[in-house]
Amino acid sequence: MQIRVKCKCGEGKCPEWAVVELQGVVEAQPSFQDRLQNLEIGVLCRPSSQPVYTFKVGYHELTGSKVALKKPMLVLQKTKRTGTGDTDVGTDTNSSNVELQVIGIIRHRILFKTRPKPLISKPQPAVKEKASAPGAVASNQTA
């Protein structure tokens, strides 16, 4: 079986992606089960002065590092060829009508191998109402 692989971005100019590798299981709440596509689960940050990555998910913070892969991987999109030579995204599995489009390359992974650190924020202090001046009329009087 022969499948064509095309790259329109040019040699050495493909967008670079990374794999985020977590230890354990990330489970969605039952209310989100039908809406997982494009669901934001956290914030990934890397301070410019440090080689360490942080990933904040809810009230947890993970710390990780960037690790090079032994062999790079391609990110491919399956397309089917039409009779005119144009390509459309499809699910046809006939090898003569299918080609793979390179949309990115993965050379690194961001590895989080330690347990998450809980983020505990300080409770916000209660705002005290200012006491009114002596002899002032209160606004909540009933007639």
Side-chain angles (χ1 to χ4, degrees):
M1 174 192 288
Q2 199 173 38
I3 299 175
R4 293 178 53 176
V5 177
K6 292 175 91 177
C7 182
K8 293 182 181 178
C9 51
E11 188 174 331
K13 296 182 182 177
C14 284
E16 188 152 332
W17 293 31
V19 172
V20 176
E21 185 175 328
L22 304 170
Q23 304 299 317
V25 178
V26 177
E27 293 181 353
Q29 295 177 351
S31 60
F32 292 107
Q33 288 295 334
D34 58 338
R35 298 178 278 144
L36 290 178
Q37 187 172 354
N38 297 325
L39 179 67
E40 184 176 309
I41 61 169
V43 178
L44 180 65
C45 299
R46 184 185 73 84
S48 59
S49 62
Q50 300 174 0
V52 176
Y53 286 80
T54 59
F55 187 46
K56 294 179 184 174
V57 179
Y59 294 106
H60 303 284
E61 181 180 74
L62 294 107
T63 305
S65 60
K66 188 175 183 179
V67 178
L69 295 175
K70 291 180 182 178
K71 292 183 179 181
M73 295 188 286
L74 293 177
V75 180
L76 302 171
Q77 182 177 24
K78 186 177 181 181
T79 58
K80 68 176 184 176
R81 294 187 299 170
T82 60
T84 61
D86 295 335
T87 59
D88 296 324
V89 175
T91 58
D92 189 8
T93 57
N94 188 352
S95 63
S96 63
N97 293 333
V98 172
E99 62 185 26
L100 300 174
Q101 180 72 36
V102 177
I103 59 173
I105 187 164
I106 302 171
R107 290 189 174 98
H108 296 92
R109 66 181 174 161
I110 301 171
L111 177 62
F112 297 96
K113 59 183 177 181
T114 58
R115 295 187 62 85
K117 179 176 75 171
L119 296 176
I120 302 173
S121 60
K122 294 180 182 177
Q124 296 294 327
V127 178
K128 296 181 181 179
E129 293 183 26
K130 293 183 180 179
S132 59
V137 178
S139 61
N140 292 346
Q141 289 182 344
T142 57

